[in-house]
Amino acid sequence: MSDLFKNYIDGKWVAAKSGNTFENRSPANRNDLIGLFPVSGSGDVDAAVTAAKTAFAKWRLVPAPKRGELLYRVGDLLRSRKEEIARIMTREMGKVLKETRGDVQEGIDTAFYVAGEGRRLFGATTPSELPDKFAMSVRAPVGVCALITPWNFPMAIPTWKMFPALVCGNTVVLKPAEDTPHTAVKLFEILEQAGVPPGVVNLVQGRGEEVGAALVRHQDVQLVSFTGSAAVGREVAAVGGQQLKRVSLELGGKNAQIVMEDADLGLAVEGALWGAFGTTGQRCTATSRLILHRDIKKEFIERLVARAEKIKIGDGLDESVEMGPLINQSAREKVQRYMDIGGQEGARLLIGGSVYDMGPCANGYFFQPTIFDRVSPAMRVAREEIFGPVLSVLEVQSFAEAITVLNGTPYGLSSSIYTADVGRAFRAMRDIEAGIIYVNGPTIGAEVHLPFGGVKDTGNGHREAGTTVYDIFSEWKSIYVDYSGKLQKAQIDNA
Ligand code: UN1
């Protein structure tokens, strides 16, 4: 008998109305069945949204510092179960334990950071232009928020949406990725244990086409926060646009690391390895392009390849393993397709390029660390998000060309430059078109108290994390209090 998991709606664990379930298997070993999870539909979404709508009436009136205190409890519980959840996450989505511990840590960091915000959520007071009149702006909750999240950060991303939503006084329905339902269950166990009131947080498992779509079009959902592909993001935005719903999108990336001829090459090699092959290249912030100055290119590639060849591939639960599998069969097929595309376009394969199925890896979705050389900016392997351990190397002759090449993709999430020249570093900070820029560090590793998001096709202008996330999850109210006892006319009486 496999473990059978449920949705969490209105404070109760319930099966999907259909009674159907789907299997969740480990990407490191298809024979490892983790459990059965509900195949939900629009009826389940309706129940969850109704619960969230009802709960909103009370939750919005709970003082924000109290809402924050609940998040301190959630943070404490997450911390006490960090190792357990990291192991569950590695088993279910494949990245190595060190990284899943980091993923849970990101949830813990967010919990404590956001909990403190319960005593801030600052608005502004400002003088009125009229006598005996007071002016201020305050934040108000938006209402029922649908959170649709990916599998690559199954704790960090749901929590960095949910906790800010809650502290602002919203209620939420989470639809986690089909590949990581178990981590979501763990998060909800903790929310329940911490005492989050029924209906304030709801979990509906299932497919994006059914659950996600039903949430996005539901009339009682005021806000959709989605992290995933640009293709799905466009559909979410279209429906949200028709309904004039607030939609926050966090989409793809084609992030590049520039290495100039004056850089510390050892440091830059380490950065490229971590950025490209950490999380098996499956971060929105992963390094998928390496822009090398021609003077150091040969030496850099030799050092990089020598290190990449030694990366130990395997089950992430083995502490000695450095790179786990891809998430599923279709992800691996996609990466394989890009091997053909790169080859046909004239890119040269330096290492990798094939599935990895040695020994115990035969039953998982493993792929070799792969590096393409002789990539030019117009090639698809230089422009499209592959979401796997594939790095495309582009050669440049100058700093100006490096910046032009870095900016030459439809995306603008993360970026990096390695240089010892402070002037170049500042010019890069000014001229790079990306939401996140690292100087002498890899493209991955954003911290929770800075804005996270990107420009161009990476999103629609919002920034999660930091203090900017509250502009997603709250409405501004401008309030004027006239205590003059007479009708005062702005722009007229004081002209
Ligand atoms: C993602 O890539 O989907 O900045 C999120 C990072 C992590 C979050 C990544 N803190 O790499």
Side-chain angles (χ1 to χ4, degrees):
M1 256 304 273
S2 304
D3 282 339
L4 185 63
F5 294 91
K6 295 183 168 166
N7 289 329
Y8 186 76
I9 297 175
D10 206 12
K12 289 184 267 312
W13 293 95
V14 290
K17 290 185 195 297
S18 70
N20 295 336
T21 57
F22 66 94
E23 289 183 351
N24 179 23
R25 290 177 181 269
S26 171
N29 178 4
R30 286 175 276 239
N31 299 330
D32 178 15
L33 178 62
I34 293 164
L36 301 175
F37 292 83
V39 176
S40 313
S42 57
D44 305 291
V45 165
D46 213 32
V49 172
T50 303
K53 188 179 175 185
T54 307
F56 178 67
K58 280 197 187 146
W59 181 246
R60 73 183 184 89
L61 299 177
V62 173
K66 286 267 166 243
R67 298 194 295 249
E69 278 167 29
L70 203 48
L71 292 175
Y72 280 120
R73 280 209 286 288
V74 172
D76 277 335
L77 289 165
L78 268 173
R79 190 157 52 183
S80 69
R81 293 176 66 180
K82 177 174 169 180
E83 187 61 23
E84 171 206 343
I85 297 172
R87 286 178 181 277
I88 284 170
M89 197 191 298
T90 292
R91 183 179 171 206
E92 132 168 293
M93 59 72 70
K95 67 186 173 187
V96 298
L97 265 179
K98 207 182 349 174
E99 294 189 34
T100 51
R101 288 182 189 124
D103 194 323
V104 182
Q105 187 59 44
E106 210 159 337
I108 297 166
D109 293 344
T110 300
F112 293 132
Y113 178 54
V114 173
E117 194 63 24
R119 288 189 182 269
R120 288 186 294 268
L121 283 176
F122 296 134
T125 61
T126 180
S128 165
E129 65 187 43
L130 293 161
D132 296 333
K133 194 173 170 187
F134 186 87
M136 62 184 160
S137 56
V138 299
R139 290 187 187 275
V142 182
V144 176
C145 302
L147 314 179
I148 304 175
T149 53
W151 49 266
N152 65 339
F153 277 82
M155 184 60 78
I157 295 179
T159 53
W160 85 34
K161 294 180 192 296
M162 181 190 293
F163 297 167
L166 294 180
V167 87
C168 287
N170 304 288
T171 55
V172 307
V173 180
L174 174 70
K175 201 304 260 183
E178 296 95 297
D179 287 304
T180 48
H182 198 193
T183 306
V185 166
K186 293 294 136 186
L187 171 61
F188 273 73
E189 283 175 10
I190 284 172
L191 294 165
E192 182 182 34
Q193 199 183 341
V196 178
V200 171
V201 290
N202 303 275
L203 170 67
V204 184
Q205 308 267 16
R207 285 155 44 85
E209 292 85 337
E210 282 129 32
V211 179
L215 273 170
V216 172
R217 62 170 185 263
H218 201 293
Q219 295 293 341
D220 289 330
V221 168
Q222 275 82 35
L223 182 158
V224 180
S225 175
F226 170 79
T227 299
S229 71
V232 175
R234 285 194 168 86
E235 289 177 35
V236 172
V239 177
Q242 274 301 321
Q243 298 185 359
L244 299 178
K245 225 168 236 184
R246 185 174 299 195
V247 175
S248 149
L249 301 172
E250 189 53 59
L251 309 173
K254 190 70 191 174
N255 316 293
Q257 172 180 321
I258 294 174
V259 185
M260 294 308 298
E261 77 283 11
D262 58 14
D264 176 335
L265 293 194
L267 192 66
V269 165
E270 291 305 312
L273 285 165
W274 177 227
F277 304 125
T279 324
T280 321
Q282 300 171 108
R283 294 195 192 206
C284 333
T285 52
T287 308
S288 60
R289 294 180 297 149
L290 189 57
I291 301 172
L292 300 180
H293 191 278
R294 68 169 172 195
D295 292 354
I296 48 89
K297 185 180 165 206
K298 190 163 171 294
E299 182 189 345
F300 192 88
I301 284 184
E302 277 166 18
R303 291 169 72 167
L304 182 70
V305 167
R307 283 281 282 106
E309 276 170 349
K310 292 205 192 77
I311 290 174
K312 185 170 173 195
I313 303 172
D315 185 336
L317 288 169
D318 173 348
E319 299 264 8
S320 71
V321 162
E322 293 169 285
M323 197 176 95
L326 289 164
I327 187 67
N328 56 34
Q329 178 66 22
S330 75
R332 192 161 70 169
E333 284 167 4
K334 180 177 174 193
V335 172
Q336 265 173 313
R337 273 200 305 282
Y338 276 98
M339 297 303 104
D340 298 337
I341 292 168
Q344 282 154 16
E345 287 178 315
R348 196 179 106 203
L349 199 58
L350 290 180
I351 56 161
S354 308
V355 304
Y356 181 84
D357 54 7
M358 306 275 277
C361 290
N363 289 322
Y365 304 112
F366 295 90
F367 202 88
Q368 297 168 333
T370 297
I371 304 177
F372 274 125
D373 190 13
R374 299 194 192 156
V375 175
S376 62
M379 291 182 184
R380 288 180 63 191
V381 290
R383 299 177 57 76
E384 297 173 12
E385 189 174 48
I386 301 173
F387 230 64
V390 183
L391 185 60
S392 295
V393 178
L394 298 101
E395 180 184 313
V396 293
Q397 308 201 12
S398 66
F399 171 76
E401 187 187 357
I403 299 291
T404 304
V405 168
L406 183 141
N407 288 340
T409 76
Y411 297 110
L413 180 54
S414 189
S415 60
S416 148
I417 178 163
Y418 282 77
T419 178
D421 179 334
V422 71
R424 275 177 172 169
F426 271 89
R427 275 193 288 279
M429 293 179 226
R430 183 192 61 198
D431 295 339
I432 284 176
E433 295 166 0
I436 305 171
I437 300 171
Y438 293 91
V439 177
N440 294 331
T443 62
I444 65 177
E447 301 175 28
V448 302
H449 53 300
L450 277 82
F452 184 93
V455 301
K456 302 196 280 189
D457 289 0
T458 290
N460 61 344
H462 294 284
R463 291 291 184 278
E464 300 190 301
T467 50
T468 46
V469 69
Y470 303 105
D471 288 331
I472 299 176
F473 288 106
S474 64
E475 296 279 8
W476 281 111
K477 280 183 179 169
S478 296
I479 301 175
Y480 303 89
V481 182
D482 193 327
Y483 55 95
S484 68
K486 52 184 192 255
L487 174 65
Q488 302 198 84
K489 297 179 184 137
Q491 294 90 37
I492 295 169
D493 287 355
N494 64 339

